[in-house]
Amino acid sequence: MSQVATAKQREVQRIVDALSLAIAQHRLKPGRRLVEAQIVEALKANRNHVQAALQRLALQHIVTIEPNIGAMVAHPEAQEAREIFIARRAIESAIVASITPTQMAQFADDIDAQQKAEHAATGQQDRRDIVRELSAFHLLLAKVSGNKVLSEILSNLMVRSSLIVALYQRNDVPSCQCAEHGAILTALKAGNTEEAQQIMLAHLNELEAELDLTEVVSEELSLSQALL
């Protein structure tokens, strides 16, 4: 019985991950309807598992479910956008504060690979790749910290941040924060925790300042295209 439950949990998580990734990479836009039958077909999934995944995403405020309408990608309001960045400043400051030079050394290969991928993405000016790699930097720091609770909270905040960026960012292509990311890493490697926190907070302030709080209408992919 436990094996069946475990298999179901893994399948639901697979669907959650696929939808979250599509949202985080702006392949599914805010307000986009999430038709269960299309998700079932695109992901070769069980309808009950899809429903469970959508319910979980709704609890995380990534998806909204309305009677007689169904599920759709969340469409955060301006006030929620501000609150998300307040939360990110608190969580990411705590993450940075807990990272030691020893931990940085342990994850040196992962950090180096992420930075190379980030520079490559920004050099190509591909929005999807840039969004993915800029987000990967923040999630990697959470992994380096070793704090699973903070990592889980940040993972949710990053997906919700992607919705905000998709709606409110002024520029179509996200600006490159490679220099700021590099400065944070340099400070952490040297054990300058307070400096790293200050740079991170300034970095997040700059990201929030790029928002113009006006909605943007852009061309949408089909649900199948977004998930595949």
Side-chain angles (χ1 to χ4, degrees):
M1 195 72 179
S2 62
Q3 291 180 346
V4 173
T6 300
K8 178 180 178 180
Q9 289 170 356
R10 290 175 180 170
E11 179 61 8
V12 171
Q13 187 62 52
R14 180 180 75 88
I15 300 166
V16 167
D17 291 343
L19 288 167
S20 296
L21 183 62
I23 292 168
Q25 295 184 357
H26 298 169
R27 287 180 277 134
L28 289 174
K29 303 293 185 181
R32 175 65 181 272
R33 283 197 63 199
L34 300 172
V35 181
E36 290 180 8
Q38 295 177 1
I39 299 173
V40 167
E41 181 179 359
L43 297 179
K44 310 301 181 190
N46 178 290
R47 195 181 192 101
N48 290 334
H49 295 163
V50 170
Q51 290 175 345
L54 291 172
Q55 290 288 345
R56 185 183 300 180
L57 290 169
L59 290 173
Q60 297 173 352
H61 304 287
I62 295 170
V63 163
T64 59
I65 300 176
E66 298 183 15
N68 303 320
I69 296 178
M72 63 184 68
V73 180
H75 192 290
E77 301 293 336
Q79 180 58 32
E80 183 177 347
R82 298 185 186 97
E83 291 172 355
I84 289 293
F85 273 91
I86 290 172
R88 282 191 63 180
R89 281 190 285 270
I91 295 300
E92 298 201 58
S93 180
I95 286 172
V96 168
S98 66
I99 296 176
T100 66
T102 299
Q103 289 171 308
M104 292 294 290
Q106 291 172 343
F107 285 88
D109 290 342
D110 291 341
I111 293 170
D112 183 60
Q114 189 281 321
Q115 284 292 282
K116 288 180 179 177
E118 181 177 300
H119 282 81
T122 53
Q124 294 296 320
Q125 292 294 295
D126 184 292
R127 180 183 177 85
R128 190 178 300 174
D129 287 345
I130 293 173
V131 168
R132 181 183 67 246
E133 294 305 332
L134 294 180
S135 296
F137 170 80
H138 295 267
L139 294 172
L140 179 56
L141 286 186
K143 180 180 177 181
V144 172
S145 77
N147 190 313
K148 293 182 180 180
V149 174
L150 290 177
S151 295
E152 289 174 1
I153 295 172
L154 182 62
S155 292
N156 174 262
L157 289 174
M158 291 303 295
V159 178
R160 296 172 71 181
S161 290
S162 73
L163 295 174
I164 291 165
V165 169
L167 281 171
Y168 301 125
Q169 190 173 51
R170 291 190 179 94
N171 301 318
D172 181 57
V173 177
S175 61
C176 174
Q177 293 94 15
C178 296
E180 294 171 12
H181 287 181
I184 292 168
L185 294 175
T186 298
L188 288 174
K189 289 175 184 177
N192 298 327
T193 304
E194 291 187 8
E195 179 183 349
Q197 284 180 294
Q198 291 173 358
I199 299 170
M200 177 62 81
L201 291 174
H203 172 50
L204 294 174
N205 287 340
E206 183 177 339
L207 292 180
E208 185 176 9
E210 292 180 352
L211 306 179
D212 64 10
L213 303 182
T214 57
E215 297 181 6
V216 178
V217 178
S218 56
E219 182 179 354
E220 292 186 345
L221 299 174
S222 71
L223 187 55
S224 295
Q225 289 173 324
L227 291 174
L228 297 176

